[in-house]
Amino acid sequence: MAKIKAGVLGATGAVGQRFIEGLRGHPWFELTSLAASDRSAGKKYREAAKWRLESELPDEFADMTVVRVDPKEVDADIVFSALPSDEAKKVEAEFAAAGFVVASNTATNRMVPDVPLLIPECNPDHIELIKIQKERRGWEGYITTNPNCTTIMFALTLKPLMQFGIESVHVASMQAVSGAGYEGVPSMAILDNIIPYIAGEEEKVETEAQKILGRFDGERIVPADFTVSASCHRVPVMDGHTEAVWVRMKDDPTPAEVRQAFLDFNPGLDDLPTSPRKAIIVRDEPDRPQPRLDRNAGRGMSVSVGRIRPGIRYICMGHNTIRGAAGASILNAELLHKKGLL
């Protein structure tokens, strides 16, 4: 079976590099196009990008010529967008109108009513929005999105708790510096320090989960009926967002019942290549999860939980540039392929 041609928009940045890493040797997708800014276009990828991942730059992509972020230059059926939000607003619509499937990691279209905000383990039925989106806009292609890297961690853990009637959620994040990009936080600002503010982050965290865990009524998403209150902080950790979560639920489950709900959670996505064996991993040690020890669980796609206490209070943690970014978009694309939408 022929593979689906895939491109990466914003291929030289940190998330773009994670897309390249995640698509290398993929059984369904073939990476055929790397697109970046005009200053990078025309160069070999190894010349345009400074590779910053621990893995080696794959030889098969190092000598690919970078093209401009233009539908006329990108040779692909699906594009994975790692563009800055201000650029994505115009560009992603142009690609969708030109017939491309856009799997976006950017914030621009997440809360647009006819754009699905997907976590395949939580809301696969929301892909039904795609038909509505194409009809309303007259596009040949369409846009899908994945959540903010902080939202995705706790929202995934909320899915098995929906059975208890979630009423409110409080979350305090301890976010890795890689979430801001290589040049996002100066070393002299973050070393020996915690920065208790990330511009725009709390607003995203406080709105996205309700859309993800909401109900598709045939025309739109009816948001989930609970509130989220967030406080977001940057900490001197390279990769892995850690979050302290407080959940108030109507049924007032015990910590043991919550732990069992996490253990029983089985989304049935074992046939998707990027899906981890366990979406949620329960750690019973009193000092886990920890970024350095747990961020690569499930090849970086699992979310680890621990310290489940009365209240209900717990800690969750996941890899922000894999589960929270590139890996999430690739998993979304795999779901689209499984549903016959690619």
Side-chain angles (χ1 to χ4, degrees), residues 19 41 55 92 108 166 169 177 197 231 239 256 278 300-301 336:
F19 274 124
S55 61
E92 291 181 358
T108 304
I166 296 174
V169 179
V177 293
Y197 174 71
S231 183
D239 293 304
K278 285 185 174 293
M301 288 295 290
L336 296 173

Side-chain angles (χ1 to χ4, degrees), residues 33-214:
S33 211
L34 300 175
S37 64
D38 289 347
R39 67 176 178 274
S40 296
K43 298 178 182 179
K44 299 296 184 184
Y45 185 79
R46 68 168 78 246
E47 300 167 351
K50 185 173 180 59
W51 191 256
R52 303 194 185 278
L53 303 185
E54 294 178 0
S55 61
E56 293 292 327
L57 170 60
D59 290 337
E60 61 266 39
F61 305 130
D63 290 323
M64 284 182 65
T65 299
V66 177
V67 300
R68 291 186 305 126
V69 182
D70 185 329
K72 296 177 182 177
E73 295 195 20
V74 173
D75 177 27
D77 301 305
I78 181 170
V79 290
F80 295 94
S81 176
L83 296 170
S85 293
D86 54 350
E87 184 179 355
K89 185 172 184 178
K90 174 175 180 287
V91 169
E92 291 181 358
E94 290 177 346
F95 272 84
F100 291 81
V101 173
V102 179
S104 176
N105 178 65
T106 66
T108 304
N109 289 298
R110 287 179 188 147
M111 298 305 294
V112 175
D114 62 359
V115 174
L117 178 58
L118 294 174
I119 302 176
E121 295 94 339
C122 295
N123 60 343
D125 58 310
H126 288 196
I127 63 173
E128 297 297 327
L129 278 176
I130 290 170
K131 180 179 179 181
I132 294 170
Q133 179 189 139
K134 293 177 70 173
E135 289 177 350
R136 286 178 178 173
R137 303 183 185 218
W139 288 346
E140 289 297 318
Y142 56 86
I143 298 171
T144 64
T145 62
N146 57 266
N148 171 273
C149 53
T150 304
T151 304
I152 199 167
M153 307 307 174
F154 79 88
L156 180 56
T157 68
L158 293 181
K159 179 62 176 181
L161 304 185
M162 294 285 285
Q163 62 184 297
F164 301 119
I166 296 174
E167 295 180 332
S168 67
V169 179
H170 289 74
V171 58
S173 72
M174 292 150 276
Q175 298 181 220
V177 293
S178 59
Y182 185 80
E183 298 178 351
V185 182
S187 60
M188 289 186 69
I190 194 64
L191 291 175
D192 189 34
N193 201 20
I194 291 173
I195 302 173
Y197 174 71
I198 303 172
E201 193 80 352
E202 290 161 359
E203 292 82 358
K204 297 171 190 174
V205 171
E206 291 178 346
T207 57
E208 291 179 5
Q210 292 93 334
K211 182 177 181 180
I212 295 161
L213 297 173

Side-chain angles (χ1 to χ4, degrees), residues 8-45:
V8 177
L9 310 182
T12 58
V15 175
Q17 292 181 21
R18 285 292 186 192
F19 274 124
I20 292 171
E21 183 181 62
L23 290 167
R24 183 187 187 188
H26 196 284
W28 298 353
F29 303 123
E30 178 185 4
L31 186 53
T32 54
S33 211
L34 300 175
S37 64
D38 289 347
R39 67 176 178 274
S40 296
K43 298 178 182 179
K44 299 296 184 184
Y45 185 79

